[in-house]
Amino acid sequence: MNHKKITIIDVARHAGVSVTTVSLVLGGKGRISQATAERVNRAVDELGFVRNRQASTLRGGESGVVGLIVRDICEPFYAEMTAGLSEMFEAQGKVLFLLQSGASGKGLMRCFDTLLTHGVDGIVIAGGEGAMSGLKEKAEEQGVPLICATRSGGIDGVDVVRPDNMLAAKMATEYLIRQGHKQIAYLGGLSNSLTRAERLGGFCATLLQYGLPFRTEWIIECDYQQKCAADATELLLSQYPKISAIVCHKSSVALGAYFGVLRTGAEVGGGAVDSFFQQKIALIGMEDAPESELTEPPLTSIANSAREIGHATARRLLLRIGGQNLEVQNIIVPPALVERASA
């Protein structure tokens, strides 16, 4: 005779409560009334539900699991940040439970509820753009520490660890200006991106600071795919041949721009040197990647310290999990110039 496996959903229906409430009772977390807890435990006994590792954790104890929600693990920034998180948590005997909410972030609430159901000790949301209303309240109600590790934005009243996007763009633009460039474009990112808005702010402010005008037609949108960046670069340079340098929104955009420059018959180079024989275009990318060393010449970048952002996020969340009463912080990890040899 086949016996149907009893799930936490069955327990919730039998007790007349939500799945989240059952999870909180089993894990000993959250503010649950004694009457509700007794009803859930009675349902567990009556149905013969087998408690898993998280459910059998001592009341007030820890599961040893930390939840992480990312939109797209293939993005180099979040892949590197995830590695940093994993290093820190594993050193403390904890493991990451990784979920992906999708490029649009539509699955964020589903992922969040799944992690709460599994009784995680804390949750990291990687990516702070988009609608995240109600997450802070849910986390507080259920006693689960929450932190954002992101390129920009975050949730009001929640710890945020992020890079300094304006400073990164300022450093990139100043680097090109010191090389002698005066006709500088910005390539990459989409108009609805807060990260892009912050970087553009740093880019435009730096041009004005040095008395250089910025032209809106030299600020080009494109996604992070290299082909898109290559096509956009080729079109931009064919329309505006006086451009001598481009600040690239991401490392993948910089690599695409590299091939776009070559398509036009120009060379990729550093300083703004007039050449009768060959035009040179300087490129600098943000969010450094190892692939930047493979071009000829290698591409200079502004590193965003994604791994360090992961480390800092883990350290902060571990303090929260340990019960320390901390004021909410906006932790900024500074960028660094990675200057490589160039022609």
Side-chain angles (χ1 to χ4, degrees):
M1 179 178 178
N2 293 328
H3 294 281
K4 177 179 177 292
K5 181 180 178 180
I6 303 300
T7 69
I8 194 171
I9 297 175
D10 298 320
V11 175
R13 288 173 178 166
H14 193 78
V17 298
S18 69
V19 171
T20 300
T21 298
V22 174
S23 177
L24 293 174
V25 172
L26 295 177
K29 296 181 178 182
R31 296 189 290 270
I32 305 298
S33 69
Q34 182 176 352
T36 299
E38 289 176 354
R39 190 159 75 248
V40 170
N41 285 318
R42 188 162 55 248
V44 167
D45 294 337
E46 291 174 355
L47 294 176
F49 176 72
V50 178
R51 302 170 186 247
N52 59 20
R53 179 188 176 198
Q54 287 76 29
S56 60
T57 301
L58 293 174
R59 181 169 295 275
E62 298 177 3
S63 68
V65 179
V66 175
L68 169 63
I69 304 174
V70 299
R71 290 192 175 187
D72 186 355
I73 192 61
C74 291
E75 285 203 32
F77 175 89
Y78 291 114
E80 186 76 7
M81 188 216 67
T82 298
L85 279 170
S86 183
E87 289 169 352
M88 293 294 291
F89 286 132
E90 287 181 5
Q92 299 298 318
K94 295 184 181 294
V95 296
L96 279 178
F97 184 168
L98 173 63
L99 294 176
Q100 185 169 271
S101 63
S104 65
K106 290 182 179 179
L108 178 59
M109 190 61 71
R110 170 185 52 79
C111 292
F112 195 80
D113 289 339
T114 297
L115 292 176
L116 292 178
T117 299
H118 282 76
V120 296
D121 296 333
I123 296 176
V124 178
I125 297 180
E129 299 177 35
M132 295 189 290
S133 61
L135 298 187
K136 174 179 178 288
E137 291 73 20
K138 268 193 173 186
E140 288 180 343
E141 177 186 342
Q142 299 173 22
V144 178
L146 174 64
I147 191 168
C148 291
T150 177
R151 287 195 184 99
S152 60
I155 303 174
D156 289 341
V158 173
D159 290 324
V160 177
V161 184
R162 57 189 293 266
D164 192 330
N165 288 310
M166 290 192 68
L167 178 58
K170 175 181 173 62
M171 290 170 62
T173 310
E174 282 188 331
Y175 175 82
L176 295 175
I177 293 172
R178 289 197 304 269
Q179 296 287 316
H181 295 281
K182 296 181 179 179
Q183 311 290 333
I184 306 172
Y186 188 99
L187 176 67
L190 302 177
S191 60
N192 61 352
S193 166
L194 180 56
T195 299
R196 182 176 187 264
E198 291 178 348
R199 290 177 179 171
L200 276 179
F203 169 72
C204 295
T206 306
L207 290 179
L208 292 176
Q209 177 187 340
Y210 284 85
L212 300 176
F214 66 88
R215 298 172 58 177
T216 56
E217 62 268 30
W218 289 6
I219 298 175
I220 307 299
E221 286 189 52
C222 74
D223 65 24
Y224 63 89
Q225 295 180 357
Q226 291 184 29
K227 184 180 185 307
C228 177
D231 293 342
T233 300
E234 184 178 15
L235 179 62
L236 176 68
L237 295 178
S238 66
Q239 291 179 330
Y240 306 101
K242 290 186 178 181
I243 291 173
S244 66
I246 303 174
V247 175
C248 300
H249 185 64
K250 293 184 180 182
S251 58
S252 58
V253 172
L255 289 169
Y258 173 84
F259 292 107
V261 170
L262 298 183
R263 284 184 193 172
T264 67
E267 290 184 352
V268 175
V273 179
D274 292 330
S275 172
F276 179 78
F277 300 101
Q278 189 79 48
Q279 182 187 13
K280 289 191 175 183
I281 307 296
L283 302 175
I284 185 168
M286 283 178 276
E287 303 182 4
D288 185 50
E291 292 80 7
S292 298
E293 299 182 17
L294 303 179
T295 60
E296 181 57 45
L299 299 179
T300 293
S301 303
I302 303 296
N304 56 17
S305 304
R307 190 175 291 257
E308 176 53 35
I309 288 173
H311 292 166
T313 300
R315 286 192 293 267
R316 187 68 178 178
L317 188 57
L318 286 168
L319 292 176
R320 292 285 187 191
I321 292 172
Q324 293 199 29
N325 186 20
L326 305 169
E327 290 187 5
V328 174
Q329 282 191 349
N330 185 17
I331 301 169
I332 306 295
V333 178
L337 176 68
V338 182
E339 186 172 4
R340 298 186 172 97
S342 58

